[in-house]
Amino acid sequence: MIEHDEFGPEKILEVSDADTGMHGFLVIDNTVLGPGKGGIRMTSGVNAEEVFRLARTMTWKCALAELPFGGAKSGLIIEKGISLDEKKKKVEAFSRALKPVCPSQYIAAPDINCGEKEMKWFAEANSSMKSCTGKPADMGGLPHELGSTGFGVAHSADVAAKSLGIGKNVAIQGFGNVGQFAAKFLAEIGYTIIAVSDSKGCIYNPGGLDVSKLISIKKETRSVVNYNEGEVLDGRMVFELDADIIIPAAIADVINKDNADKIKAKLIVEGANISITDSAKEILHSRGIFVVPDMIANAGGVISSYVEHIGGNEDETFKMIEEKVRKNTKLIIEHAQTKRIKPHDAGIEIAKQRIREAKK
Ligand code: NAD
């Protein structure tokens, strides 16, 4: 159920096209601060409600990052095993269908199952380079493949771990764009990645995994479980290991009432969007486990989108992400601790205040 409140959603569109079989959704949640910004989720099960929840997260995320963007998100149904040609036709049809509101009220970006190639198709079908970000470099883009989100997640984890006095062993769920770059940047600043999972399972080595080797193995064999210097576990075990920090970097609702009690880590940094259910957030809070929420931790993606939108370069992107994500991680820790509230609630409180002020 999508509930409307003072913040939105302003528009919910469902679009389809019989010729290509395209079927998708767009939710423009709130445009008080600017056009709604949010990626296109390309999965087989995406639906309007999921898109709304993600759009709302974007509303908070853009307000917290102090960007001139509102919140939105879209979803395009892409079945598993679809050919590249069919996918291209669907992306193009989706782009044409959204043209009346894109880029005027919605600016797209990559999300799950989507990268610079899809953004090129989207921008060309819309015929405006401003219709999306995450385009290839030769189209003026700062591609998703630079790893800006994972870079921000790593900085957020670093600030939180240092402020809260938490150790350096990290377990990561999901080894795609966010998971790989978070692992890479964290390893570079002295953290030990002890476990990584993907949809095929989890690889665990308490002595540490070699991140570059793991990235090559994932690329070559499509799964981290083929890394041969570690124990292969069921994917769900990634949350139950003796890690100091957990980074969910895959799909929604993965930490829930069934596993929140089993988590041993003292810090969770949400690389993925809405990876923790409301009931799990309560459990984690009561157990003293600190969660840096998605709207702060993975804001690197949207900050990079903003730099692309204003014609900036790679160096400016990384500098802005580091500054904003580190500052906001500190802000959320202080706010949550001072008010003794959940960090998610602290983030929403600050974002709401900024949007209400802008509306005045
Ligand atoms: P991706 O498609 O590149 O990677 C997803 C990874 O998750 C893959 O390794 C896949 O195997 C794994 N996975 C899928 N189902 C799983 C399961 N059940 N258990 C374990 N692993 C599973 O996606 P991404 O771009 O890395 O995005 C990951 C998450 O981060 C999403 O929630 C996305 O919304 C969020 N996010 C991404 C960006 C970005 O710039 N990429 C920005 C903000 C938020």
Side-chain angles (χ1 to χ4, degrees):
M1 250 272 285
I2 298 176
E3 282 178 22
H4 292 250
D5 61 20
E6 67 168 291
F7 297 97
E10 294 173 9
K11 281 194 178 70
I12 304 173
L13 304 180
E14 179 166 3
V15 293
S16 63
D17 169 61
D19 291 342
T20 56
M22 177 275 288
H23 186 177
F25 310 89
L26 168 65
V27 176
I28 299 175
D29 185 45
N30 186 292
T31 57
V32 169
L33 299 171
K37 190 81 189 76
I40 311 175
R41 178 147 299 194
M42 298 191 188
T43 56
S44 56
V46 69
N47 57 54
E49 192 177 338
E50 182 185 8
V51 173
F52 162 67
R53 289 171 66 206
L54 294 161
R56 179 52 61 89
T57 301
M58 290 307 297
T59 298
W60 306 145
K61 198 181 293 185
C62 292
L64 284 164
E66 295 173 289
L67 299 173
F69 287 142
K73 195 87 181 184
S74 62
L76 176 61
I77 296 175
I78 294 290
E79 300 79 10
K80 285 199 177 104
I82 186 177
S83 73
L84 214 53
D85 190 47
E86 270 180 284
K87 188 178 184 186
K88 179 169 189 271
K89 287 189 178 133
K90 288 191 182 192
V91 172
E92 289 168 343
F94 189 53
S95 172
R96 286 191 296 270
L98 300 189
K99 202 168 154 59
V101 292
C102 174
S104 56
Q105 298 165 51
Y106 171 59
I107 302 167
D111 189 69
I112 292 185
N113 229 337
C114 181
E116 59 175 279
K117 173 170 79 271
E118 286 79 5
M119 290 303 102
K120 177 176 189 289
W121 300 335
F122 188 93
E124 284 171 349
N126 176 288
S127 65
S128 166
M129 288 302 121
K130 291 280 182 202
S131 60
C132 63
T133 55
K135 299 181 294 289
D138 62 5
M139 290 175 91
L142 290 166
H144 195 51
E145 286 75 359
L146 282 177
S148 47
T149 304
F151 174 77
V153 170
H155 275 288
S156 184
D158 184 46
V159 171
K162 284 180 179 149
S163 313
L164 302 165
I166 285 166
K168 293 196 168 217
N169 286 343
V170 185
I172 303 178
Q173 185 204 37
F175 208 53
N177 184 275
V178 178
Q180 287 185 26
F181 283 102
K184 175 177 176 280
F185 291 118
L186 278 168
E188 279 173 13
I189 53 173
Y191 287 77
T192 306
I193 313 303
I194 60 160
V196 165
S197 75
D198 61 18
S199 51
K200 310 246 167 51
C202 172
I203 183 83
Y204 173 54
N205 184 335
L209 303 165
D210 177 335
V211 175
S212 6
K213 204 164 149 190
L214 202 55
I215 292 175
S216 315
I217 284 167
K218 172 78 178 168
K219 206 169 274 166
E220 283 158 23
T221 71
R222 305 181 75 87
S223 178
V224 295
V225 297
N226 299 313
Y227 178 98
N228 53 17
E229 289 154 46
E231 197 182 337
V232 176
L233 306 171
D234 183 291
R236 286 168 295 193
M237 284 303 293
V238 72
F239 295 125
E240 299 176 27
L241 300 168
D242 257 325
D244 302 306
I245 306 170
I246 290 178
I247 301 181
I251 50 175
D253 299 331
V254 289
I255 299 180
N256 47 52
K257 61 177 171 29
D258 300 330
N259 59 8
D261 273 325
K262 298 179 188 152
I263 288 174
K264 298 194 184 97
K266 283 280 162 237
L267 171 65
I268 300 177
V269 182
E270 271 194 295
N273 288 314
I274 55 170
S275 63
I276 308 177
T277 63
D278 288 342
S279 55
K281 278 177 213 151
E282 291 295 340
I283 299 170
L284 297 171
H285 187 61
S286 69
R287 295 188 54 220
I289 297 171
F290 196 91
V291 177
V292 183
D294 47 8
M295 61 192 100
I296 299 279
N298 70 24
V302 76
I303 298 168
S304 151
S305 291
Y306 171 66
V307 178
E308 175 175 337
H309 193 66
I310 59 168
N313 63 30
E314 208 176 305
D315 289 344
E316 287 158 344
T317 307
F318 284 104
K319 189 164 172 276
M320 194 184 286
I321 293 171
E322 186 171 337
E323 277 170 14
K324 282 188 185 283
V325 171
R326 291 190 83 93
K327 177 179 137 201
N328 281 332
T329 305
K330 271 191 208 128
L331 175 73
I332 211 89
I333 293 173
E334 281 162 18
H335 197 86
Q337 287 184 334
T338 311
K339 293 196 132 192
R340 296 175 173 270
I341 55 175
K342 295 197 290 296
H344 263 95
D345 297 344
I348 291 172
E349 223 173 77
I350 299 167
K352 280 184 175 174
Q353 199 183 336
R354 288 183 184 165
I355 295 169
R356 284 186 183 126
E357 267 163 29
K359 204 169 172 180
K360 266 194 230 157

